[in-house]
Amino acid sequence: MGAATPLPVLIVLHQEHSTPGRVGRLLVERGHPLDIRRPRFGDPLPQTLALHAGAVVFGGPMSANDPDDWVKREIDWIGVALDEKKPLLGLCLGAQMLAKHLGGRIDPHPSGLAEIGYYPLKPTATGRRFASETGAPWPSHVYQWHREGLDCPPGGELLAEGADFPNQAFRVGPAAFGLQFHPEVTHAMIYRWTTRASERLGLPGAQAAHLHHRGRFMYDPDVALWLDAFLDHWLAAGTPQARSQPVAEPGSACAPAI
C-alpha cells in the first residue's frame, strides 16, 4: 500500500490579504494542503485538530491584549491544539497568543523600543540542544516586526533570546512552539511591509528600509536552512510515537517579558 496522504495544516491569518509566505510553501512542498482560516473575519476554528497535521497561527498588527471578542476566542482556542498535543506554531502575534493562553504576559518595551528589521538571535543552552535535534543551527539574525514582548509562559522552555526583547523562541511540551520573529517572510513580503507600513520604520529601535533589504541577503539563507529543518521536526512531533514520549522538564529559565 502507498503512503497515506498528508493531512492538511490549519493556517490562521489575521488580515484580509495576508499569506502564509514561506511556511505555507514549505508545507505544501511536503504534501500538506493548507486549510486557511481568518477568525477576525468570521471564519470558524475547528473544535478538534483530529483531521489536521497541525496549526500555524501567524502575526498581525493587533495585540494579544486587545479586547476584541475574536482575539479572546482565538487565544482560548489554542487549548484545542495543546490538549490534543498537535503541532502548534505561533509566529509573532501567534506566539504572544500562545504565551497569553498559558498565563504569560504581553507588554510593550518600557523604553518604547520596537524591533522592526533584522536583529541578533542567541540560543540558550536548551536551544542549542534543540538544534542538535533538528540538525540545523539557529540563524544569527532573524526578521522582526513588533513593539510588544512576550513572557515565556509557565512550563515553557526558552530556546532563544534577544537583547531588547529577551524571549524570542520557546517550546511547551513536545509540539508547541512560539517564535517572536518571522521566518515565514519572503522578499516580496518585506517590500510590502516596508512600503505599506513605512510609518512604523520611524519608531525607536526600528531599522531603515534599506537595512531590511540588505539584511535579507545577508541573513536569510541561514534562516531558510533552519526553517526547513525545523518544520520537519515540528511535523514529526505530532506523530503518535512522538506524542507518547514523556515531556522533559523545562531546562532554561524564562525571563520577564521586558
Side-chain angles (χ1 to χ4, degrees):
M1 296 178 61
T5 301
L7 292 173
V9 173
L10 181 68
I11 300 293
V12 182
L13 300 175
H14 299 113
Q15 293 178 276
E16 187 175 3
H17 300 294
S18 294
T19 75
R22 177 165 51 193
V23 166
R25 176 178 61 79
L26 290 173
L27 290 171
V28 169
E29 287 178 0
R30 286 159 169 77
H32 294 278
L34 304 182
D35 179 4
I36 296 177
R37 313 277 184 108
R38 292 179 169 85
R40 181 186 178 195
F41 300 102
D43 290 343
L45 293 172
Q47 295 181 354
T48 176
L49 286 174
L51 299 179
H52 292 82
V56 186
V57 182
F58 285 80
M62 58 289 299
S63 170
N65 294 324
D66 286 348
D68 306 72
D69 287 342
W70 73 265
V71 172
K72 297 176 181 178
R73 286 195 302 269
E74 189 173 324
I75 292 171
D76 288 341
W77 175 86
I78 284 172
V80 171
L82 296 176
D83 290 344
E84 297 179 0
K85 298 182 179 179
K86 282 288 189 144
L88 174 66
L89 175 59
L91 301 176
C92 197
L93 173 63
Q96 294 175 359
M97 287 180 160
L98 172 58
K100 192 172 181 70
H101 176 89
L102 293 168
R105 289 190 1 259
I106 311 301
D107 290 310
H109 193 278
S111 299
L113 295 180
E115 282 188 322
I116 298 177
Y118 278 93
Y119 297 82
L121 187 72
K122 180 182 178 182
T124 63
T126 302
R128 290 191 293 272
R129 290 194 294 272
F130 176 72
S132 70
E133 295 176 25
T134 65
W138 292 84
S140 67
H141 292 68
V142 289
Y143 195 65
Q144 307 271 13
W145 196 290
H146 65 99
R147 290 184 288 179
E148 292 182 313
L150 58 84
D151 271 343
C152 179
E157 297 177 286
L158 186 62
L159 302 177
E161 301 172 302
D164 292 322
F165 292 86
N167 298 314
Q168 289 290 335
F170 65 91
R171 172 169 63 179
V172 180
F177 293 82
L179 307 179
Q180 181 63 78
F181 51 93
H182 288 279
E184 81 278 14
V185 291
T186 63
H187 208 179
M189 289 168 71
I190 290 178
Y191 269 101
R192 187 164 64 248
W193 293 5
T194 55
T195 301
R196 295 184 178 178
S198 59
E199 72 282 356
R200 298 198 179 191
L201 303 183
L203 293 171
Q207 297 174 359
H210 74 277
L211 296 177
H212 295 229
H213 305 308
R214 186 173 74 178
R216 170 81 182 178
F217 288 107
M218 291 174 63
Y219 305 122
D220 192 65
D222 288 341
V223 176
L225 289 173
W226 176 84
L227 180 62
D228 202 48
F230 172 84
L231 287 177
D232 284 338
H233 183 279
W234 177 72
L235 289 165
T239 63
Q241 298 90 335
R243 291 201 301 269
S244 66
Q245 295 298 313
V247 178
E249 291 297 320
S252 292
C254 299
I258 50 175

